[in-house]
Amino acid sequence: MLNYNSTAELRAFLDKEGLGMQKRFGQNFLINPQIRQTLADQLDIKNGSEVWEIGPGLGAMTALLLEKGFTVNAFEIDKGFIRILKQMFASVDRFRLFEGDVLKTWNKCESNASFLLGNLPYNVASVLLADLIENGKTFSRMVVTVQKEVALRMAASAGSPDYSSFSVLCASVYKVKPLMIIRPSSFYPQPNVDSMGVLFEKKDSYEYPEIFYPLVRSLFASRRKTVKNNLLTFLSGASSKLKSENDISCLCKEILYENALNGSERAENLEIETFLSLAKTIDNMRLSK
């Protein structure tokens, strides 16, 4: 078995196999065994459970999960790593490999797995999680490793500098908890920034109108603008029933009034409950085109 804890052995293995690290995929191997173990333990799942693993690379976490008795559905985009993963785990009944961009392949996995583990590069993390959440694919627990700045956005609360539409998106389904800062020395090759492990625990219950996520994105679209101005823009494109600027303005005032807002607020200071209330108000008005 490959020694996943040794930079020298990983480098030698890559050279032997004619493989290279591709920056466009944001590839960094987690070589710290204690951190790998901690992340896996945070899934808090029983033997035999199914797990989605995003970006297995050369299989360090894959091997750990299989040793724990889990069934692993792994998503890998790098053709070289795919070849290695097949050599290492193809004969294991509890291992299934989905080849290609996870954004294009995740919906082909018919597994009912309730757990997800992933070392997610910056350019994938927010897009993938948003895609999963907005399409109703959720997990009981997720543990992801991302750049620290992304983790702070995931867990940010209203009023903080990192609070964004992505923060609201994550909080709409999950309780988000930062686990640990992971220094560059824990990876090969070493990234230029700190990373962070993040735990997502699914909320017991939630229900959002279809308009919720588009509304949240719209209210954050121009951060310098007030809620009123962003809401006016959203309403202008929401329905052909609104024939004039006056119609839109009147409706905007009504929505704000019903939610105890004066319109001068900014999205980054609104709690998720306020976004939900606004969405329900608009949804009840049935502004279908």
Side-chain angles (χ1 to χ4, degrees):
M1 179 66 72
L2 180 60
N3 183 358
Y4 295 109
N5 308 329
S6 169
T7 296
E9 291 192 34
L10 285 173
R11 187 184 298 115
F13 180 82
L14 291 170
D15 289 342
K16 174 178 173 291
E17 295 292 337
L19 300 175
M21 306 296 283
Q22 300 191 50
K23 288 185 178 181
R24 65 192 178 103
F25 294 152
Q27 294 168 335
N28 302 92
F29 300 135
L30 185 54
I31 59 174
N32 186 312
Q34 289 77 28
I35 292 178
R36 289 201 304 267
Q37 185 66 56
T38 298
L39 293 172
D41 289 345
Q42 285 294 323
L43 286 175
D44 192 26
I45 53 181
K46 299 179 180 179
N47 188 300
S49 297
E50 286 196 40
V51 183
W52 279 22
E53 185 188 6
I54 312 299
L58 295 177
M61 294 298 295
T62 311
L64 181 58
L65 293 171
L66 291 172
E67 288 173 8
K68 287 177 172 289
F70 306 144
T71 295
V72 178
N73 300 284
F75 299 79
E76 178 58 58
I77 191 172
D78 187 290
K79 292 181 179 180
F81 294 167
I82 287 171
R83 172 171 58 85
I84 300 302
L85 291 167
K86 287 181 176 179
Q87 292 174 5
M88 290 182 170
F89 306 115
S91 62
V92 180
D93 292 338
R94 291 178 288 105
F95 176 77
R96 291 191 295 171
L97 181 61
F98 294 84
E99 302 178 25
D101 187 344
V102 64
L103 289 168
K104 299 177 181 178
T105 59
W106 73 259
N107 58 1
K108 298 178 182 178
C109 179
E110 298 179 356
S111 158
N112 291 319
S114 295
F115 305 93
L116 180 148
L117 182 72
N119 182 14
L120 307 180
Y122 177 83
N123 61 341
V124 171
S126 58
V127 177
L128 174 61
L129 294 182
D131 193 41
L132 293 171
I133 291 172
E134 293 193 48
N135 284 283
K137 181 58 182 177
T138 57
F139 300 83
S140 296
R141 292 172 79 89
M142 300 194 299
V143 176
V144 300
T145 302
V146 294
Q147 287 189 14
K148 182 180 175 182
E149 64 180 275
V150 179
L152 294 176
R153 287 177 55 215
M154 290 173 170
S157 56
S160 69
D162 297 303
Y163 193 57
S164 66
S165 60
F166 185 47
S167 312
V168 177
L169 182 79
C170 294
S172 68
V173 178
Y174 297 102
K175 298 175 183 177
V176 185
K177 177 184 177 183
L179 294 173
M180 71 194 83
I181 293 177
I182 308 175
R183 302 300 183 189
S185 58
S186 292
F187 294 93
Y188 171 73
Q190 292 191 19
N192 297 320
V193 296
D194 287 339
S195 299
M196 184 175 281
V198 185
L199 171 64
F200 290 74
E201 296 179 282
K202 190 175 180 180
K203 292 182 175 179
D204 293 334
S205 62
Y206 55 89
E207 184 175 348
Y208 300 96
E210 184 177 343
I211 203 172
F212 177 79
Y213 295 123
L215 174 65
V216 170
R217 284 195 297 271
S218 182
L219 293 181
F220 274 99
S222 299
R223 294 182 70 94
R224 292 184 179 181
K225 290 186 177 181
T226 63
V227 167
K228 177 182 177 181
N229 287 335
N230 280 326
L231 183 56
L232 284 169
T233 300
F234 177 79
L235 292 174
S236 67
S239 176
S240 60
K241 291 181 179 180
L242 303 175
K243 302 298 183 180
S244 68
E245 290 186 10
N246 187 59
D247 290 340
I248 297 172
S249 179
C250 289
L251 183 61
C252 182
K253 289 179 181 179
E254 180 182 347
I255 293 169
L256 292 171
Y257 177 79
E258 289 193 17
N259 288 277
L261 298 171
N262 60 35
S264 64
E265 301 86 353
R266 299 187 186 277
E268 57 262 38
N269 295 314
L270 300 183
E271 302 285 350
I272 188 172
E273 292 79 10
T274 303
F275 289 109
L276 176 56
S277 180
L278 285 165
K280 286 182 175 179
T281 299
I282 297 172
D283 189 59
N284 290 336
M285 292 176 174
R286 303 187 184 281
L287 300 176
S288 58
K289 290 191 175 183

